[in-house]
Amino acid sequence: MSQLMNSNIKMTSLDIAQLTGKQHKNVMADIRKEIKELGEEVGQLIFQPSSYINSQNKEHPCFSFGKDGAMQLALKYDAKTRFKVIQRIEELENSYRPYIRPSEQEIKRMNAEARLENARVRKANTYLKLSNVDTLSKEYKSILVAKASETLSGEKILPYAKSEQQTYSAKNLGEMFGVSPQRIGLITNKHNLKIEEYGEWYRDKSRYSSKEIDSFRYFDSVIPRLEEILGVDKSS
């Protein structure tokens, strides 16, 4: 009871009459009955006699009360009427609820979280933009989309696609054939070997800077073509 009495909302018997559709005199009778049943000491503590001026500029009696009195009356009525009274109580409580300014520490924390979230969104958008690069393989595009979802959520939601074939870099092939990676690149460009039949495009970090570059990874199927072009038989 004491918790209800501490509520700072104020209502009158006129408010209850308007909410319930009952005549004010009947609401007054309900309140007097409540006071009698609660006992004078408690009842008059909850319901305070008051007055109002009507449209004819005449003074008439009413009762004023807080949340405890409104709830006490609501329990007397049917479900729909109780709902209206309780809804009005909540509206009044929300209107009285003071604005509490966050502390400086809380503001700094919220700003830091906002900056971190913005950074995650920018990073995820970068992954999604890269996934639209036409030269990338389907597998690598799916990896980029998975990375975007992981960046936003903080956990792995989509599995990373893995190529079902072994792949080789130009350096790997150069070591295999005893030539430089640059020559492998020149040969595969000249003979149009950087296609899906012979490998996949990936987005790799440059060895010479922090930038990311398109890099072609070769399948086993390119080895016979390079043997043919270079005149070297790697099967022996």
Side-chain angles (χ1 to χ4, degrees):
M1 178 73 71
S2 60
Q3 183 178 1
L4 292 176
M5 290 180 179
N6 288 334
S7 177
N8 58 1
I9 72 168
K10 292 296 180 184
M11 297 182 70
T12 69
S13 49
L14 289 168
D15 296 323
I16 298 298
Q18 184 177 8
L19 288 169
T20 62
K22 298 183 67 171
Q23 291 187 18
H24 183 240
K25 64 179 182 179
N26 293 332
V27 175
M28 292 285 285
D30 290 339
I31 293 174
R32 292 189 184 100
K33 184 178 180 181
E34 285 295 305
I35 293 173
K36 183 178 180 180
E37 292 179 355
L38 289 168
E40 292 291 328
E41 183 178 355
V42 175
Q44 290 183 1
L45 184 62
I46 297 175
F47 300 101
Q48 292 86 39
S50 185
S51 63
Y52 70 98
I53 304 298
N54 68 7
S55 57
Q56 284 78 39
N57 203 31
K58 293 182 179 180
E59 186 176 9
H60 288 272
C62 68
F63 283 99
S64 65
F65 41 85
K67 178 178 179 179
D68 49 348
M71 293 295 291
Q72 191 76 26
L73 286 173
L75 293 174
K76 294 179 64 67
Y77 304 133
D78 60 77
K80 290 184 178 180
T81 303
R82 282 199 304 273
F83 176 76
K84 290 180 181 179
V85 174
I86 293 171
Q87 192 174 43
R88 179 57 179 160
I89 291 171
E90 291 178 349
E91 290 174 356
L92 290 172
E93 284 185 324
N94 289 333
S95 66
Y96 284 126
R97 186 170 290 122
Y99 169 73
I100 301 176
R101 176 179 171 80
S103 65
E104 292 299 324
Q105 184 177 1
E106 182 68 10
I107 292 174
K108 289 180 180 179
R109 183 189 65 79
M110 291 189 293
N111 287 338
E113 288 180 353
R115 288 193 296 270
L116 182 61
E117 181 64 21
N118 288 337
R120 282 198 293 262
V121 171
R122 288 195 299 270
K123 188 175 182 180
N125 284 336
T126 299
Y127 284 130
L128 291 176
K129 287 179 181 178
L130 288 174
S131 70
N132 291 321
V133 175
D134 293 334
T135 56
L136 296 181
S137 66
K138 293 180 181 179
E139 288 81 3
Y140 196 65
K141 286 182 178 182
S142 67
I143 289 174
L144 290 170
V145 173
K147 284 291 292 182
S149 67
E150 180 181 343
T151 300
L152 285 176
S153 65
E155 58 184 22
K156 289 184 179 180
I157 298 176
L158 301 175
Y160 291 162
K162 295 182 179 180
S163 176
E164 297 178 355
Q165 302 188 53
Q166 181 178 352
T167 62
Y168 304 89
S169 66
K171 181 180 179 182
N172 297 146
L173 293 175
E175 292 172 350
M176 187 183 300
F177 286 96
V179 297
S180 68
Q182 290 78 11
R183 188 175 180 194
I184 294 294
L186 290 172
I187 292 172
T188 53
N189 284 334
K190 180 180 179 180
H191 294 273
N192 194 30
L193 300 181
K194 291 182 179 180
I195 57 177
E196 289 187 7
E197 180 182 353
Y198 299 117
E200 299 173 337
W201 283 99
Y202 286 87
R203 174 72 58 157
D204 286 337
K205 185 177 179 182
S206 172
R207 290 185 299 169
Y208 308 105
S209 70
S210 60
K211 294 182 179 180
E212 290 187 337
I213 58 173
D214 289 339
S215 176
F216 195 82
R217 301 282 301 184
Y218 300 90
F219 295 151
D220 285 320
S221 56
V222 81
I223 294 176
R225 291 287 289 118
L226 290 175
E227 289 177 346
E228 179 184 343
I229 295 167
L230 292 170
V232 178
D233 185 2
K234 300 303 296 179
S235 62
S236 59

